[in-house]
Amino acid sequence: MSTKPYFQLYAHNIAVKGSTRSAIYDLQRQDIVLIPNVLHRVLRHLVQHPWRETQQAFAPGNPVVFQQYIDFLLRKDLGFFLHNPASFPALSLAWNSPHHVQNAVISYAFAHYHLGAVLAQLDQLQCQHLELRLRLPGQNWPEVLALFEQMAAMSFASVSLLLAYSEAVPDEQQLRLLYEHFPKIQHIIVHDAPYGAPSAAHPEHVVFVTADLQREQPRDRYIVNSEFFTEAMRFNPYYNRKLCVDDAGYIKNCLLQPKRFANVNTTRLATVLQDADFQELWHAAPDQTVGLQDSELRYAHFSADYLVRDTGSGLFNRVSHPAAVPALDLVDVV
């Protein structure tokens, strides 16, 4: 054992306790190391006490067991011995974003509202990521190109284009040219296609798929990095600062949910964003979600679960996602 009096995790390694086991989030390597809860208690004690005091507190008659824990952490390169813990401050876990909207999902069928006006509002809100879902009813491709010309000077850092397959959808060569011409495009996906095939030139960015992405719920996955971790400590990363507009122009938290707040034809996006009811799911953090709050993986869990707040406890419950709402009769929606 080292002659240095203290042992601690590197600042980018954060220990998180779960109900039956704990985890160390290695935010630099974007990895998670699972540990027993007793080791989590040891690590908390080590934050304020020399390692010899911690050994006496947890394994006074069995230093070999304590040594095994330390050797495990060293082998995984998760921590180090030191003389002065004050010289190695903890990583700031504050989360801030200058953007009023981080992520927008816009569904449009070239009717019922003016898409260019909605994009201009998103630009004013400093929206970072746009997912544009289009259904081409006819020869509207020139309009699509004009929209991307408009977006070239806007705030979007990235744009994903989802096209519902139809005879009006351009061929792979035209889609490739669009992708190559506009650097902001991250992906072009033609979904509900009769075949699945990637672009020969850009197989990871331009692709035809058979799945119907209009109605498919995003899959749960795990994301490990400092930005996601700090956001998940206070917010729900799926809903936080997210805004959706459906084909009819209704503003929602998620296109798959039936709840709608206003219509873009009558209400500006900025007005809806200030509504506490609209922001409720932003604050459905993992620590406030039943069934997730005791998981050691809660700060890495990205899920599109349909959440409903329990008025008694104030906690959010994950419920079965409602079926996608059938297409509305839009004749009178203007």
Side-chain angles (χ1 to χ4, degrees):
M1 192 75 73
S2 173
T3 58
K4 297 178 181 178
Y6 292 93
F7 182 90
Q8 69 178 31
L9 296 179
Y10 291 110
H12 58 265
N13 295 327
I14 312 294
V16 175
K17 186 179 183 299
S19 58
T20 59
R21 62 182 182 179
S22 297
I24 297 175
Y25 288 62
D26 188 332
L27 301 180
Q28 186 174 79
R29 294 190 179 96
Q30 300 185 5
D31 190 22
I32 290 178
V33 178
L34 298 175
I35 59 173
N37 280 343
V38 64
L39 181 51
H40 182 273
R41 295 195 296 271
V42 168
L43 290 170
R44 290 191 61 182
H45 197 272
L46 284 167
V47 171
Q48 296 181 333
H49 300 86
W51 64 262
R52 290 189 184 277
E53 290 185 19
T54 303
Q55 175 188 310
Q56 287 300 310
F58 286 89
N62 196 347
V64 173
V65 172
F66 183 81
Q67 178 68 52
Q68 289 175 343
Y69 282 140
I70 298 298
D71 288 346
F72 170 80
L73 297 171
L74 291 170
R75 188 168 63 252
K76 294 288 187 179
D77 194 27
L78 297 171
F80 63 108
F81 288 100
L82 68 161
H83 285 292
N84 184 12
S87 300
F88 298 89
L91 183 73
S92 172
L93 298 179
W95 184 87
N96 294 291
S97 173
H99 310 288
H100 301 288
V101 177
Q102 290 193 120
N103 181 24
V105 181
I106 309 299
S107 184
Y108 188 62
F110 295 85
H112 312 303
Y113 66 93
H114 185 227
L115 178 57
V118 171
L119 296 177
Q121 290 181 53
L122 288 172
D123 180 45
Q124 293 173 356
L125 293 167
Q126 299 177 311
C127 178
Q128 278 290 280
H129 307 288
L130 172 66
E131 183 177 299
L132 189 58
R133 302 184 173 198
L134 301 181
R135 288 191 294 166
L136 302 177
Q139 302 304 314
N140 302 97
W141 192 242
E143 294 180 56
V144 175
L145 297 179
L147 285 170
F148 275 93
E149 290 288 356
Q150 176 185 351
M151 287 188 287
M154 290 184 170
S155 62
F156 307 113
S158 65
V159 180
S160 292
L161 174 61
L162 276 64
L163 293 167
Y165 181 83
S166 71
E167 293 183 357
V169 171
D171 59 23
E172 184 270 338
Q173 182 178 2
Q174 289 178 282
L175 296 177
R176 173 177 59 80
L177 291 174
L178 175 66
Y179 172 77
E180 293 174 349
H181 187 67
F182 293 98
K184 290 185 179 182
I185 296 179
Q186 191 172 33
H187 298 99
I188 299 177
I189 303 174
V190 180
H191 64 94
D192 202 18
Y195 57 89
S199 163
H202 307 286
E204 295 183 1
H205 301 280
V206 181
V207 62
F208 287 71
V209 298
T210 57
D212 182 358
L213 301 183
Q214 289 288 115
R215 296 177 181 271
E216 186 174 280
Q217 181 179 348
R219 296 178 180 177
D220 289 7
R221 62 183 187 272
Y222 291 92
I223 301 172
V224 185
N225 59 52
S226 57
E227 182 177 0
F228 190 93
F229 183 92
T230 54
E231 183 177 12
M233 291 186 72
R234 295 167 181 80
F235 302 98
N236 183 296
Y238 177 74
Y239 292 106
N240 185 35
R241 302 198 188 186
K242 179 178 182 177
L243 182 148
C244 300
V245 179
D246 69 11
D247 283 352
Y250 285 106
I251 304 168
K252 298 181 174 185
N253 291 123
C254 175
L255 289 180
L256 290 175
Q257 294 186 12
K259 188 172 184 179
R260 54 200 194 188
F261 295 87
N263 193 287
V264 295
N265 289 305
T266 58
T267 309
R268 292 186 62 81
L269 299 179
T271 301
V272 176
L273 286 173
Q274 296 172 2
D275 185 349
D277 191 26
F278 182 81
Q279 290 189 17
E280 182 177 53
L281 291 182
W282 294 10
H283 302 278
D287 287 333
Q288 304 297 318
T289 303
V290 175
L292 192 59
Q293 61 186 162
D294 295 326
S295 169
E296 70 280 1
L297 302 178
R298 60 190 179 274
Y299 301 134
H301 187 214
F302 181 81
S303 174
D305 283 334
Y306 187 43
L307 301 173
V308 177
R309 185 191 289 272
D310 179 78
T311 54
S313 66
L315 298 177
F316 291 88
N317 288 291
R318 295 184 290 172
V319 298
S320 298
H321 216 293
V325 180
L328 300 173
D329 183 355
L330 304 179
V331 173
D332 296 324
V333 180
V334 291

